[in-house]
Structures are given as C-alpha cells and as structure tokens.
Amino acid sequence: MYETERLRDEITRLFRARMAENGEPVENVLEYLEDVDFHALTQAVRHKARTVYAYTTQGQHRKSFNYRGEELFHQRASLLYEEMDQSAAELAVTTRKLELWLLEDMSLVAVSCVTVDYQDGGYVTEYRTLKGDAAESVLCLDLEELAQALEELCWPCYEHEQPVYEL
C-alpha cells in the first residue's frame, strides 16, 4: 500500500496541476521537489498514519464527553499540510483550516476542518468534511511552503526518531 513511486507520482501530479493553474511552466516542478527524499517521506507518512474522523470531541477533564464519529476516509491517512482560512478568538478559539491528507492508497485529498478549542485544549471539538481531489480543490497551496513541509516530514526518519517500515 505504501509505495514510494506512487507517492512521488501523486505529489508530482499535484504540483503540476497547481503550477499549470498558476501559469507557471510545469517543467519547473523538479525545482520544487528536488530536495524531497520520497523514500524517507514514505517512511514518515507510514509512521504518522492515523484514523481520521468526520467529527470528534476530546476533553482533558475527568469524565469529559469524548466522541468519535464516522471514519472520514475509511482508511488511515497522514496530514501533509494545512492552511489557516479563518479564525476567531472569544471565549473559545474557533478556526477553519484547509488540510491536505495522504491516504493509505497514496491518493491526496483536500479537507475542510472547523475546530473549536475551549481553554487551550481543555475541550476541543473538530468537524471535517471532504473537499475532493487535492489537485482540483479549494486549497490555496503555496508550493514552496508545501515542498518545505514535505522535506520537514522526513527529519524524524533521518534522526532515527521513528521505526523503519518494510515498504
């Protein structure tokens, strides 16, 4: 399931689509991705994979009402990138983020996430909804920032801070 070449192909497809959309020469995709070690990245996303739920509540206080709704993807996934869309801070901090997730089948999806955080993690509720294929989504990807985020995901692998997985 975790295949380095499929991961490279999906990331490259995303960059090409966004570059074409922005009027950039798609031949320059290698400039963005030249420092991304896709083998280490595959190891990192394999390690970070988790079940993502459409709705969650999580409290730190005794007997908090902790809840997990339906699985959003019906497979595990790794968060690659997020961008803040809107935020408000009153009694609780409410944010809307757009997220880029890599699924176990090596596909990329965009997700909208609304979070309400009361008392700095004392009680957090999150609602996520699929926004579709990442290459065609509402994400306003900064490709340079995304490439840097992908590179940074590799560091735990380089520093031997995570297991090595047979891929």
Side-chain angles (χ1 to χ4, degrees), residues 11-147:
I11 296 289
T12 301
R13 182 179 74 85
L14 173 63
F15 273 73
R16 285 183 190 278
R18 289 310 173 97
M19 291 172 75
E21 191 177 283
N22 297 337
E24 292 182 61
V26 294
E27 301 81 39
N28 295 353
V29 71
L30 295 179
E31 289 177 25
Y32 284 106
L33 298 176
E34 67 186 350
D35 293 329
V36 177
D37 177 344
F38 281 95
H39 178 74
L41 182 59
T42 306
Q43 289 284 332
V45 297
R46 166 66 181 86
H47 184 68
K48 292 174 59 71
R50 66 182 177 96
T51 301
V52 180
Y53 299 94
Y55 185 70
T56 63
T57 65
Q58 184 68 42
Q60 293 182 355
H61 303 289
R62 224 176 103 210
K63 297 190 179 191
S64 291
F65 182 73
N66 299 325
Y67 173 82
R68 303 296 178 266
E70 287 187 41
E71 289 186 19
L72 187 62
F73 308 126
H74 303 288
Q75 59 184 301
R76 294 179 328 139
S78 302
L79 180 63
L80 298 181
Y81 179 84
E82 58 188 359
E83 61 186 37
M84 185 69 64
D85 185 44
Q86 298 174 341
S87 182
E90 295 293 330
L91 185 58
V93 177
T94 305
T95 57
R96 178 177 184 258
K97 299 179 292 189
L98 297 172
E99 302 172 330
L100 175 65
W101 289 86
L102 175 74
L103 306 184
E104 280 183 311
D105 68 6
M106 299 287 97
S107 59
L108 294 168
V109 293
V111 170
S112 173
C113 177
V114 174
T115 303
V116 178
D117 185 337
Y118 179 71
Q119 292 185 335
D120 198 27
Y123 196 76
V124 178
T125 181
E126 290 185 317
Y127 173 74
R128 286 186 169 84
T129 185
L130 286 169
K131 300 309 272 182
D133 183 298
E136 302 165 6
S137 74
V138 296
L139 280 165
C140 296
L141 291 172
D142 178 325
L143 296 180
E144 209 169 305
E145 194 175 293
L146 175 55

